[in-house]
Amino acid sequence: MKLYYAPGACSLAGRISLHEAGLDAEFERVDIKTKFTEHGYDYNAINPRGYVPMLVLDDGNGVTENTAVLAWIADVAPKLGAGGPLGRTRLIEMLSWLSTELHIAFKPFWHDASDAEKAAAGEAVSQRLDLLADNIREFYLFGPHFTVADAYLFAMLRWAKAFEVRIPIELLAWFERVAERETVRRALAEEGLS
Ligand SMILES: N[C@@H](CCC(=O)N[C@@H](CS)C(=O)NCC(=O)O)C(=O)O
């Protein structure tokens, strides 16, 4: 299978999760400005939405949208999902919230937004992170074990740090824990990040 990614983008969550799942994959870098891949292919022709991530499965099926990519990985490797009878529902609930509430709140940082708009975006991100801080009751978002939702949140907390957004203390401690995982260190190194 192959993951289309951009260094440090939300696709980092898929790379971390594939490593956590022990799944072999190829990784093809996409320049999200020019929309060309590192091998010179027109990414818009591969994924007309133009976004990373896209995961192409071994049977050729392409999966887009981070929520779907991460849910697929958790289906294949249930240890990366939330446990219990409502586990899958809770995981989708969290991934959807991360995508449609938290991820989207960062958008002004990448566009030609004014300083005031960026300040407002930073506040919106912080308010959402405050809501999440209550979830970190044990080690990770769903308790003692790491899930694909933690991988997604990790990718976004890297952005929050880079944009100097206020991060609640519980999440700072969580970030340090996640950053020490061998799979996370490997994923960061593979994308040329520290
Ligand atoms: N709805 C998509 C959004 C993914 C997304 O925003 N990807 C960003 C990188 S984190 C991207 O590819 N941006 C390229 C662009 O805006 O043209 C998803 O949830 O997977």
Side-chain angles (χ1 to χ4, degrees), residues 23 58 64 68 115-116 120 125 128 165:
L23 294 170
D58 289 341
T64 61
D115 287 349
V125 167
R128 285 159 177 76
V165 168

Side-chain angles (χ1 to χ4, degrees), residues 9-10 32 35 50-53 65-67 99 103 107 152 159:
C10 53
I32 52 180
K35 304 291 180 192
Y51 289 125
V52 290
E65 297 301 311
N66 223 359
T67 299
S99 171
H103 187 161
K107 290 275 170 179
Y152 194 3
W159 307 339

Side-chain angles (χ1 to χ4, degrees), residues 67-127:
T67 299
V69 168
L70 296 173
W72 182 87
I73 296 171
D75 283 346
V76 173
K79 67 173 183 173
L80 295 175
L86 274 182
R88 193 165 198 281
T89 301
R90 293 293 175 224
L91 184 69
I92 299 290
E93 184 180 51
M94 177 61 78
L95 291 174
S96 299
W97 189 85
L98 290 172
S99 171
T100 62
E101 298 290 332
L102 185 57
H103 187 161
I104 211 80
F106 281 94
K107 290 275 170 179
F109 287 109
W110 287 289
H111 298 290
D112 281 337
S114 66
D115 287 349
E117 286 165 332
K118 286 184 182 169
E123 191 45 43
V125 167
S126 293
Q127 284 173 4

